[in-house]
Amino acid sequence: MAQVARNRQTRPDVDYHLDYQFGQWEDVPEYAARWPTMEGIDRETVYLEWQGITESRLAELRKWAERDLLTPAQRARYAALLALVARQRPVLEALFAGDGRAGAG
């Protein structure tokens, strides 16, 4: 039986994930500005997407950094991302505060 060769990506696409994270975390002030006028369902959508996509991808980046899969340039960008996250996280947590749901408040 012939074996099928698979083109497996041996390294994650770190640059794509860094770009995604910078885009998301840089948009936090925009979310904060619109939050008071957003419908509850839109707040819930932002919350669920943030938890399910943005935070999970950030955790993946952390794992890759811990496994030393980042180039020196990527590691520098990752450090800058972590500084951005540290600045923006309190704003985001304030938006998501309440009874634990984004639509509350």
Side-chain angles (χ1 to χ4, degrees):
M1 174 178 236
Q3 292 184 351
V4 177
R6 294 193 178 156
N7 184 7
R8 288 189 168 178
Q9 185 176 7
T10 57
R11 296 181 65 88
D13 190 351
V14 174
D15 291 317
Y16 167 82
H17 287 279
L18 285 167
D19 290 343
Y20 173 85
Q21 289 295 318
F22 273 105
Q24 291 299 105
W25 288 95
E26 288 169 348
D27 284 348
V28 169
E30 181 181 324
Y31 287 124
R34 293 184 327 176
W35 198 260
T37 60
M38 289 175 71
E39 300 272 338
I41 189 71
D42 295 328
R43 289 180 181 187
E44 189 72 14
T45 299
V46 169
Y47 174 78
L48 292 173
E49 288 179 354
W50 198 274
Q51 297 305 312
I53 299 171
T54 305
E55 292 290 352
S56 66
R57 289 182 180 181
L58 182 60
E60 284 295 310
L61 274 171
R62 185 186 86 259
K63 289 177 190 175
W64 297 334
E66 289 171 353
R67 290 178 24 212
D68 202 27
L69 297 177
L70 280 62
T71 66
Q74 290 168 336
R75 191 163 287 286
R77 286 187 70 207
Y78 179 66
L81 173 65
L82 293 180
L84 175 63
V85 169
R87 286 191 309 272
Q88 302 291 30
R89 189 169 296 284
V91 175
L92 195 63
E93 287 176 350
L95 295 181
F96 296 158
D99 67 355
R101 299 179 51 124

